Amino acid sequence: MAPIPGSGLAKGLAVTLRTMTKKSVTAQYPDAQPDLPPRTRGVIGLFEENCTVCMLCARECPDWCIYIDSHKETVPAATPGGRERSRNVLDRFAIDFSLCMYCGICIEVCPFDALFWSPEFEYAETDIRDLTHERDKLREWMWTVPAPPALDPGAEEPKELAAARKTADKLAAQQAPPATEHHADEQARAAEQPTRPQGDSKQQTDQPKPGQEGSE
């Protein structure tokens, strides 16, 4: 059967009419912010307290867009007679987002959880040289990182939380006041002493002393 002339045009106009009668679903950005999924790869946030300047992220970056500078400081011995230690102190941590391809390798290889994905995406610049952001800006983006998803029921506690709780309990035990131990020693000493009946002291005072019987 031969197609009816103009049927294709009629179908196209029908689709247009149906679309015209529906409510628009266009999000009026920037007045209406998009609802991004939690695993959105926007920018990289830095939690510099966890950074040990191991340089692993900079070495593994395929674009070489991470710049890190540091210096060494001497840490005094924690105990008398101990040995001094040296540690790396972070001076600069910058990421050139004009070179970054958002592969996430730096976040995956970080052994101390110092880098995180942030869903922040409003960081456009008019000059490409301004896309190199220093650690102060990376730290600001750190507070936009969403919380991790909840654990499954019956799942084991993460090792990081278990280690942090164990350390906190150890510090609390070390900072306990010594009065508690002194009180416990007094209780133990009192328990070792023999107890005297209540009437013993009165009976001893009523009995005459030796040599007083004859005088009476």
Side-chain angles (χ1 to χ4, degrees):
M1 182 178 179
I4 301 175
S7 60
L9 178 61
K11 291 181 180 179
L13 291 176
V15 174
T16 303
L17 292 175
R18 285 198 304 267
T19 306
M20 291 175 60
T21 56
K22 292 182 179 180
K23 186 178 179 180
S24 176
V25 294
T26 302
Q28 301 299 325
Y29 176 84
D31 297 332
Q33 292 291 329
D35 187 13
L36 301 175
R39 298 184 64 183
T40 299
R41 295 188 176 187
V43 290
I44 298 173
L46 170 67
F47 192 61
E48 59 182 87
E49 284 79 2
N50 288 355
C51 182
T52 60
V53 200
C54 65
M55 305 293 291
L56 192 59
C57 57
R59 290 197 301 265
E60 295 296 331
C61 177
D63 293 331
W64 292 86
C65 63
I66 301 178
Y67 311 108
I68 301 176
D69 293 332
S70 64
H71 69 278
K72 288 186 177 293
E73 286 186 356
T74 302
V75 180
T79 58
R83 186 179 60 180
E84 295 182 348
R85 298 179 180 272
S86 62
R87 66 171 182 176
N88 292 325
V89 179
L90 183 66
D91 292 331
R92 185 194 183 198
F93 195 107
I95 299 178
D96 187 356
F97 285 97
S98 64
L99 298 177
C100 179
M101 64 180 185
Y102 304 91
C103 62
I105 294 178
C106 58
I107 298 176
E108 294 177 2
V109 300
C110 180
F112 299 103
D113 293 334
L115 299 175
F116 297 87
W117 278 119
S118 167
E120 183 67 33
F121 63 94
E122 297 176 322
Y123 59 97
E125 300 290 347
T126 57
D127 192 345
I128 192 174
R129 292 171 294 183
D130 296 334
L131 286 175
T132 301
H133 295 289
E134 302 293 334
R135 64 175 183 175
D136 295 336
K137 188 64 176 180
L138 300 179
R139 184 175 180 84
E140 292 180 8
W141 283 330
M142 180 63 205
W143 311 126
T144 62
V145 175
L151 297 176
D152 295 334
E156 296 182 359
E157 185 180 31
K159 296 181 180 179
E160 295 81 3
L161 293 179
R165 184 173 293 106
K166 183 178 180 180
T167 304
D169 295 341
K170 185 178 180 180
L171 291 177
Q174 292 177 354
Q175 296 175 358
T180 305
E181 299 179 358
H182 181 66
H183 184 64
D185 294 341
E186 289 183 352
Q187 290 182 349
R189 193 180 300 110
E192 293 176 358
Q193 294 179 356
T195 58
R196 179 181 298 174
Q198 296 180 357
D200 287 355
S201 59
K202 185 177 180 180
Q203 292 175 2
Q204 291 178 1
T205 55
D206 294 342
Q207 293 178 358
K209 295 181 180 180
Q212 292 182 353
E213 297 178 355
S215 61
E216 293 179 357

